[in-house]
Amino acid sequence: MIQKKIRYLHLSDNIYPLVTGGTELFIQQLINRQIKQNETYEVLWVCHEDKGLDHCNLKSLENYKRILKPVIEAKRLERFSFLTKEVPEFYKLLENFKPDIVHIHALGSRTTINHLDLCKKYGAKTLFTMHTPPCSCMGNLLYASHSICEGDLNDSRCTFFRLRSKKIPFIFSKLISFQDGLLLSPNSKNSLVRLLTSRKLTSSMHSSWLKLMSDVDLIHVLSDWGKNMLIRQKIDVNKIKLIRTAGPKKFKSKKRLPMEDGELKLVFWGRCNPQKGIHLVIDALSMLPKYLPIKLDIYGPYWSDDNYSENLKKIIRNDKRIKICGNLPQKKLFQKLQNYDLAVIPSIWMETGPLTLLEAFAVGLPVAGTNIGGIKELLSNQKGCFLLPPDSFAWKSLFLEILNNKASLDEFIPPKLRSFKDLEEDLRKSILNLLKE
């Protein structure tokens, strides 16, 4: 017997606004819609505590958000398998909240197979939304100068590309990927042993992914490539539901005309990490003469002390055309975006949205993006937008073309976006059918 209200539990690795990535924004906006359906839902959003969270902001969280005690980590092999020793307070929370459905938004260090098993033990229905590529190399083969992964779970191939993404030399990556370390333990502290057992980690990771796909009741994908990937992995097609992602509400009309002051103003917003590909745009600008009227502003987090961001900051330091502007809340960011000519989304992994592209459309900003994944699906046949390969020279050529012909930006007309109201309604239909089973 279904309760009058659907008791709906969201489970993720992080909670907004402590973390402001695309997944967290998606969940927040979906919950905003669910809360408006007060007679339909009772909503709770939980995650486990992370040492990196800003604890000063914990007390300001809304009453439908809860931070559980940190997971108790297991050994290396289990961590790679999305398993942990213990997930404190989670089963007690299930008993107290009594969810009809648990919506799982990640498979990671704090959203684990243990959680799924406890949900099944409790008897709640489970829904998994695939927000990011789940492959062992994170859907990114471009580090290895190879075509993008289509999702085949091949232990040797995935190990090779995962090692290449860690800058292990080609020949060593190849040799290691062909063997599984024999009797060596992947939990060893010896660096060489850990390297030689890389394939064991990959195999275990794949097994956990397939277990999740087998045990979860409904799989929500946001893009065609995501659905096709799961089908290639022989996941039960009857479980897979394609419900495309939604964008923010349309912001006020952009006042700036394309290159109205003769300068091409580019903008990037998102995390500073290799998968987001901002290095491609920075490298492209570095190849252009400094007298050309072009500038790039960068918004977003994680410009910390890791090698990737440090190397980029060295390049940027002596280039006045490029500016790091910090991380802004969405509303303030949208106001800033009014002052640019083109959004750049150079991701080198398979995006499921991405949210940045939909945000650009919401503020009336044309987009140049990589010709893969969700970016390709959203930008294909969109006038005034540009698709290009993940290559710095291609970005350089595009910027030169626009500088010589700004009329190409005039063709852009922002498309109508699906709203979170649309998404919630589509998702609710699938959930109600699931709860009737």
Side-chain angles (χ1 to χ4, degrees):
M1 181 71 179
I2 301 173
Q3 300 175 35
K4 186 176 180 181
K5 285 189 178 183
I6 300 172
R7 301 186 67 81
Y8 202 110
L9 178 63
H10 291 273
L11 173 66
S12 63
D13 272 347
N14 298 294
I15 275 184
Y16 183 88
L18 303 182
V19 175
T20 57
T23 298
E24 292 75 33
L25 281 166
F26 175 97
I27 301 168
Q28 183 63 69
Q29 291 179 86
L30 175 57
I31 287 177
N32 290 345
R33 287 302 314 171
Q34 291 176 329
I35 288 174
K36 288 185 178 180
Q37 304 290 324
N38 187 46
E39 295 181 356
T40 303
Y41 297 101
E42 189 74 31
V43 180
L44 184 63
W45 183 3
V46 301
C47 78
H48 286 274
E49 183 179 342
D50 173 28
K51 293 179 181 178
L53 286 175
D54 184 355
H55 294 277
C56 295
N57 290 329
L58 292 181
K59 292 182 180 180
S60 64
L61 292 177
E62 296 92 332
N63 59 11
Y64 58 82
K65 297 176 182 177
R66 193 170 305 172
I67 308 293
L68 305 180
K69 290 181 180 179
V71 298
I72 300 174
E73 290 189 347
K75 294 182 179 179
R76 180 173 178 246
L77 178 62
E78 287 74 24
R79 291 200 307 272
F80 254 80
S81 310
F82 309 110
L83 290 166
T84 187
K85 279 186 178 180
E86 187 181 341
V87 285
E89 302 182 327
F90 184 69
Y91 194 74
K92 184 178 180 181
L93 180 138
L94 293 176
E95 291 180 318
N96 291 337
F97 183 64
K98 299 179 173 58
D100 298 301
I101 188 158
V102 179
H103 191 160
I104 303 170
H105 292 275
L107 182 61
S109 60
R110 295 187 299 282
T111 310
T112 66
I113 293 295
N114 304 65
H115 291 91
L116 176 65
D117 289 342
L118 290 174
C119 291
K120 304 303 284 186
K121 176 183 175 181
Y122 173 77
K125 295 289 186 180
T126 50
L127 160 66
F128 178 79
T129 293
M130 193 175 78
H131 291 281
T132 57
C135 307
S136 58
C137 60
M138 295 306 291
N140 174 21
L141 303 189
L142 298 175
Y143 284 113
S145 299
H146 197 279
S147 59
I148 200 72
C149 178
E150 293 184 324
D152 298 304
L153 300 181
N154 180 300
D155 290 352
S156 178
R157 186 170 182 262
C158 292
T159 300
F160 169 71
F161 286 116
R162 183 164 55 79
L163 292 176
R164 288 294 291 134
S165 75
K166 299 296 184 183
K167 307 300 183 184
I168 304 299
F170 182 98
I171 186 63
F172 293 122
S173 297
K174 207 68 173 173
L175 291 172
I176 292 167
S177 71
F178 282 134
Q179 55 81 53
D180 66 358
L182 299 174
L183 300 178
L184 298 175
S185 170
N187 293 324
S188 170
K189 294 184 179 180
N190 181 280
S191 297
L192 179 60
V193 172
R194 290 164 78 92
L195 191 60
L196 291 173
T197 54
S198 295
R199 182 167 165 171
K200 286 182 179 177
L201 300 180
T202 304
S203 178
S204 186
M205 177 185 282
H206 287 167
S207 296
S208 290
W209 170 252
L210 293 174
K211 173 179 168 56
L212 171 68
M213 293 294 97
S214 173
D215 289 359
V216 78
D217 295 300
L218 184 66
I219 303 163
H220 170 212
V221 294
L222 300 157
S223 56
D224 286 319
W225 77 260
K227 180 178 181 179
N228 293 335
M229 186 195 74
L230 295 183
I231 291 172
R232 286 176 67 89
Q233 293 175 357
K234 297 181 172 56
I235 307 303
D236 184 356
V237 70
N238 294 315
K239 284 187 176 183
I240 304 169
K241 185 69 175 179
L242 172 59
I243 301 175
R244 294 193 180 277
T245 191
K249 291 181 180 179
K250 183 179 178 181
F251 201 65
K252 59 186 178 182
S253 298
K254 189 165 77 76
K255 294 181 180 180
R256 178 178 167 84
L257 299 175
M259 295 179 62
E260 64 182 19
D261 51 8
E263 187 172 63
L264 176 57
K265 293 185 176 180
L266 309 172
V267 61
F268 169 91
W269 63 102
R271 300 191 307 275
C272 176
N273 65 29
Q275 290 83 7
K276 294 299 182 181
I278 186 57
H279 59 277
L280 296 177
V281 177
I282 292 173
D283 289 345
L285 288 177
S286 298
M287 290 186 277
L288 293 174
K290 290 189 176 181
Y291 63 80
L292 289 177
I294 184 170
K295 286 189 176 180
L296 169 66
D297 285 351
I298 300 171
Y299 297 89
Y302 307 131
W303 287 85
S304 53
D305 297 326
D306 65 288
N307 290 335
Y308 179 75
S309 62
E310 284 298 313
N311 288 336
L312 291 183
K313 283 189 283 189
K314 287 178 183 178
I315 299 172
I316 293 170
R317 193 168 294 139
N318 297 317
D319 195 333
K320 294 181 179 179
R321 299 170 300 174
I322 305 172
K323 183 179 179 182
I324 300 171
C325 304
N327 195 27
L328 295 178
Q330 189 182 66
K331 188 173 181 180
K332 289 186 178 180
L333 175 65
F334 279 15
Q335 292 170 346
K336 292 285 187 182
L337 295 180
Q338 302 290 300
N339 302 312
Y340 297 95
D341 299 306
L342 182 69
V344 292
I345 306 179
S347 297
I348 58 173
W349 74 342
M350 300 287 276
E351 299 277 8
T352 53
L355 178 63
T356 49
L357 198 156
L358 299 172
E359 289 175 331
F361 284 170
V363 299
L365 197 58
V367 175
T370 319
N371 192 23
I372 55 175
I375 299 171
K376 180 179 179 180
E377 290 179 30
L378 289 171
L379 290 188
S380 292
N381 304 315
Q382 180 63 51
K383 289 185 177 181
C385 291
F386 310 90
L387 282 168
L388 55 163
D391 176 82
S392 296
F393 290 97
W395 284 95
K396 172 190 171 184
S397 297
L398 173 66
F399 298 150
L400 286 173
E401 289 174 16
I402 296 174
L403 285 169
N404 290 324
N405 180 26
K406 70 175 183 178
S408 58
L409 297 174
D410 292 328
E411 298 177 357
F412 177 66
I413 300 175
K416 183 179 179 181
L417 299 179
R418 274 171 53 82
S419 69
F420 271 88
K421 180 177 182 293
D422 300 325
L423 186 146
E424 185 277 322
E425 289 175 353
D426 290 343
L427 198 57
R428 191 192 331 155
K429 291 174 186 176
S430 296
I431 290 167
L432 289 173
N433 288 334
L434 180 63
L435 293 176
K436 289 176 183 176
E437 294 178 2

